[in-house]
Amino acid sequence: MVFVHIQAIVGIALAFCLLMGLAWVVQQRTGNSGWVDAIWSYATGLVGAVAALWPLDAGTPSRRVLVAGLALLWSVRLGTHIARRAAAGIDDPRYANYARQWGAAAPRRMFLFLQSQALVSVPLPFAIFLAAHAPEPGLRPQDYAGVVIILVAVAGEALADQQLRRFKLSSSNASLVCDVGLWRWSRHPNYFFEWLGWLAYPVIALSPGYAWGWASLAAPAIMYWILVHVTGIPPLEEQMLQSRGDRYREYQARTSAFFPWPPKRAH
């Protein structure tokens, strides 16, 4: 059992590094860093689904197929949303800012950055693997609870993305801050639902006598750290403060950064 789990970690790491190497090639060839997160999303779901189904003779087949399907559902929805933006020529301001800061060293540093991103992301598909290989026979109530969490997360993130897209379509909102729908309760509702989806895998993986299942908790912990403290909220809010100024500061003052919560009333 230990050997199989170590094999899974190594295989996930190698596959992720290869696919993020592909993301670097695409980013360098197109000059559009918007493709990076699209490829990361597809890569996470694909590697996670393969890990869930491997090895073919292990675990409960129904759970492995269910978990693989959940990973692909999330991946295809998010990856396609980001890919459509990239195909429309919309660059990702976070990566674009990094490239400007790095100057002539940008290609090399971007490659190293994406490889480090791949390694940091390994616990995500590994959590999918752990959920798929929970040793309990048959599907349990907690498996269905995991399905509900994923469906709520995917639907919530899709709704947040749709509300933001609709807001941006109006030229009269060009200099305004999106403060409608879910965005009234959270400055980053899409990030919140992205994080929420990763709670599904510990819910499925944690089983009596399955010590490895506890490792699945690393997925929501790392996703929270990435979104709230690293490549999610900090660079995006810095860019919004530059482009929206006091409007965004007022939005920050009354709206929760991450977890949806009723906005503060103006004094």
Side-chain angles (χ1 to χ4, degrees):
M1 180 65 74
V2 173
F3 181 66
V4 170
H5 285 73
I6 293 175
Q7 275 187 319
I9 294 172
V10 173
I12 288 169
L14 291 175
F16 233 134
C17 287
L18 177 63
L19 290 170
M20 293 310 290
L22 173 63
W24 177 80
V25 172
V26 172
Q27 185 266 336
Q28 292 295 305
R29 292 284 181 89
T30 63
N32 186 344
S33 55
W35 290 108
V36 169
D37 279 356
I39 295 173
W40 178 89
S41 302
Y42 288 135
T44 305
L46 177 62
V47 174
V50 171
L53 298 173
W54 178 91
L56 298 178
D57 58 348
T60 302
S62 56
R63 181 175 298 110
R64 291 191 292 116
V65 171
L66 174 65
V67 171
L70 294 176
L72 291 175
L73 171 66
W74 162 82
S75 172
V76 170
R77 206 297 305 177
L78 180 60
T80 302
H81 168 71
I82 300 173
R84 285 173 177 167
R85 290 190 316 197
I90 301 175
D91 202 355
D92 189 309
R94 299 167 301 166
Y95 295 110
N97 284 337
Y98 289 148
R100 283 192 291 270
Q101 293 170 12
W102 293 334
R108 177 181 60 85
R109 293 193 63 176
M110 182 64 74
F111 177 81
L112 295 175
F113 179 79
L114 296 185
Q115 289 299 298
S116 65
Q117 189 179 55
L119 294 175
V120 169
S121 300
V122 166
L124 303 180
F126 186 56
I128 298 173
F129 170 85
L130 293 172
H133 291 80
E136 299 293 323
L139 295 178
R140 310 149 297 166
Q142 68 193 79
D143 296 307
Y144 296 110
V147 172
V148 171
I149 292 172
I150 285 285
L151 293 180
V152 169
V154 169
E157 190 172 11
L159 177 60
D161 290 336
Q162 181 186 40
Q163 290 173 341
L164 180 60
R165 182 169 60 250
R166 187 178 300 167
F167 181 86
K168 289 182 175 180
L169 284 176
S170 175
S171 58
S172 61
N173 294 331
S175 62
L176 302 180
V177 176
C178 182
D179 187 16
V180 297
L182 294 170
W183 299 84
R184 182 172 177 79
W185 288 56
S186 170
R187 301 202 299 271
H188 303 278
N190 52 341
Y191 287 169
F192 166 76
F193 284 108
E194 168 68 17
W195 167 80
L196 179 67
W198 290 100
L199 291 177
Y201 300 106
V203 167
I204 298 173
L206 292 175
S207 304
Y210 186 41
W212 278 98
W214 291 99
S216 64
L217 291 169
I222 286 176
M223 182 54 67
Y224 180 85
W225 174 68
I226 290 173
L227 291 175
V228 176
H229 298 293
V230 188
T231 61
I233 291 177
L236 184 56
E237 296 223 328
E238 181 181 352
Q239 189 268 333
M240 289 299 294
L241 286 169
Q242 292 175 357
S243 62
R244 299 294 188 270
D246 287 339
R247 288 184 188 272
Y248 199 77
R249 290 186 184 90
E250 293 171 1
Y251 180 57
Q252 285 179 314
R254 68 177 182 269
T255 310
S256 170
F258 187 71
F259 294 100
W261 195 255
K264 297 177 183 178
R265 292 183 180 180
H267 295 290

